[in-house]
Amino acid sequence: MTARLRRYVPFATSGLQSLLQYRSMFAMTAMTAAAGAAVTVFLWRAVYEGTPGRGPGGFTVAEITTYLLVAQILQVLHSNRVDDEVAAEVYRGDVAVMLVRPVSYPVMRFFACLPVVGANAVLVGLPVLGLFALIVPLSAPRPADLLLFALSTALSVLLAFCVNLLTGMTGFLTTNTWGVRMVKQSVVAFFAGQLVPIALMPGPLAALATALPFRGMVDGPLTLLLGRYDGWAGAAGLLAQQLAWVAGLSLLCAALWRAALGRLEVLGG
């Protein structure tokens, strides 16, 4: 680990210590995620239940159940609170204090969100997955697909960080980002394939969703998990698309961050 990266470790460790002070929050998040997953999963299972073999989109009942359940868990992993915290620090003027430190604010925010992602995966995602595995039959992935899914999920976390950072930076333009965050949440949930798999969307809408970066947050990882890709070239194409969007959004974040600093005004003393 280089000395430059070592500067950011305290932000990750302090974030983890802060999270562990509010362990009951994870229980509430798990219950909320389980309730949301139950509504979605059982609604779609009812749609597929009477269909022999593969139903709409080429999903079996077990595959659509796995897709929707893991989509809910991925949404929990993407809730890293970066948009909320960046907007709040801009609004309160706390971001000015961060700027005098010898660290990059966006990189610091990335390290600070890592404990949130890890804790959500272990304390929310795994229990919810285990609970539903006892209730409904799920599709068992092949080991190679599971490995591709893990790699794709890591890229989806990076995509979610970039999208949330861009959303938080709208705080430089408006004093209240609540509406922006609500719009972002709805747009991402729809075009990522979290609510409706992209395979079930009409042709033009599916083409638009496939071209947008949000696909790499949910539909991309699940396509790999369920083995719905066209050979190794298809899997590599999905990962390459995710990687390209991560690079593109990272550059966009860096450019907009530099531009946003020129608009920063902090009042008070």
Side-chain angles (χ1 to χ4, degrees):
M1 179 181 298
T2 65
R4 179 171 294 183
L5 288 180
R6 198 175 295 124
R7 296 177 188 172
Y8 299 97
V9 173
F11 294 103
T13 54
S14 63
L16 180 60
Q17 291 170 351
S18 176
L19 281 175
L20 294 180
Q21 292 179 354
Y22 304 99
R23 287 186 287 272
S24 60
M25 178 185 66
F26 292 104
M28 294 299 297
T29 305
M31 286 190 285
T32 304
V39 171
T40 308
V41 164
F42 289 113
L43 174 64
W44 281 95
R45 281 181 63 84
V47 173
Y48 276 76
E49 201 66 57
T51 305
R54 294 188 177 274
F59 291 101
T60 63
V61 177
E63 285 175 348
I64 195 67
T65 302
T66 305
Y67 183 105
L68 295 167
L69 174 60
V70 179
Q72 292 290 326
I73 294 173
L74 286 174
Q75 190 272 332
V76 173
L77 298 188
H78 298 157
S79 301
N80 50 35
R81 301 191 298 188
V82 169
D83 48 353
D84 189 23
E85 293 181 357
V86 171
E89 287 182 346
V90 172
Y91 174 71
R92 294 194 304 261
D94 294 347
V95 69
V97 178
M98 300 292 181
L99 294 178
V100 300
R101 296 177 176 174
V103 294
S104 165
Y105 181 78
V107 177
M108 181 275 289
R109 270 284 147 228
F110 174 70
F111 274 78
C113 86
L114 289 180
V116 180
V117 176
N120 280 338
V122 174
L123 301 178
V124 178
L126 290 179
V128 171
L129 182 62
L131 173 64
F132 276 84
L134 296 174
I135 300 174
V136 291
L138 300 175
S139 177
R142 297 175 299 181
D145 294 339
L146 196 57
L147 186 62
L148 290 171
F149 170 75
L151 183 57
S152 183
T153 298
L155 292 173
S156 80
V157 169
L158 294 175
L159 279 173
F161 169 77
C162 291
V163 171
N164 287 341
L165 182 61
L166 289 170
T167 305
M169 283 196 289
T170 59
F172 286 98
L173 300 174
T174 174
T175 55
N176 190 339
T177 62
W178 183 84
V180 177
R181 285 184 280 126
M182 291 300 103
V183 170
K184 182 268 299 181
Q185 187 174 333
S186 301
V187 170
V188 169
F190 183 77
F191 284 106
Q194 177 192 333
L195 301 176
V196 179
I198 292 179
L200 298 178
M201 294 181 181
L205 197 57
L208 175 62
T210 302
L212 292 174
F214 312 122
R215 184 205 181 190
M217 297 171 67
V218 174
D219 188 81
L222 287 169
T223 297
L224 297 173
L225 180 69
L226 297 175
R228 293 169 57 88
Y229 51 88
D230 187 14
W232 290 110
L238 279 173
L239 293 174
Q241 185 185 30
Q242 280 184 292
L243 196 57
W245 274 117
V246 168
L249 291 181
S250 298
L251 292 175
L252 181 62
C253 286
L256 290 184
W257 176 251
R258 287 180 180 275
L261 290 181
R263 298 180 57 91
L264 179 63
E265 293 181 5
V266 178
L267 304 178

